Amino acid sequence: MKFWLLTALLLIALVPFALRADMTKKLLFSNKSYAKNIEVKTYVLTQEQVARLFEEPNKDPIQLTIDKLHSIKNSYFIIRIKNLGKSHAWGILSCKVPGIYDPLKISIPTINKSFCDYVICISGIFVSYNESSPYPIVTYEWAELYTK
């Protein structure tokens, strides 16, 4: 009985240290100003365009208009991301896709020196019209960005 009580008290005592470790990580590594060293490209593409993107990774895809995307059953949200700086970087990117109410939060474990592609299926969701452009305009911001 004493061992069980001692173990429980020890675990309770360690909780503040675990919370501080997460806070310490944020304080030590958080660096949103490093975003200027990261190139981010976003697209809403068809399945065929995504396949071509992987066949020809150095070629940028041609973004279809919203009218053409409405006639397609499955659309895919693509993020292409590349680290132009010298630090190791990772974080969480918050993207607002027209037609999707809540921003998509994408965890980026490592941002490399060459483009890495992240693909998210948005089937059944229609990309909404934008008055200023016939193309879907995706906005993004770094919810969290860390460097080491």
Side-chain angles (χ1 to χ4, degrees), residues 2-74:
K2 289 182 183 179
F3 179 72
W4 174 253
L5 183 61
L6 183 62
T7 303
L9 289 174
L10 183 62
L11 288 174
I12 291 171
L14 291 176
V15 168
F17 292 109
L19 294 175
R20 279 193 213 125
D22 185 51
M23 186 179 294
T24 303
K25 178 186 93 169
K26 287 185 179 185
L27 289 174
L28 289 176
F29 301 117
S30 183
N31 187 1
K32 285 191 179 181
S33 66
Y34 192 76
K36 66 184 178 289
N37 295 312
I38 298 174
E39 184 177 354
V40 178
K41 296 180 180 183
T42 58
Y43 305 96
V44 179
L45 303 175
T46 66
Q47 187 172 5
E48 293 79 21
Q49 288 178 301
V50 172
R52 268 187 262 130
L53 181 68
F54 287 111
E55 289 172 359
E56 301 171 354
N58 295 327
K59 187 176 178 185
D60 283 337
I62 297 171
Q63 178 66 68
L64 296 177
T65 64
I66 294 172
D67 289 332
K68 289 184 181 177
L69 287 170
H70 276 253
S71 64
I72 297 165
K73 184 178 179 182
N74 292 330

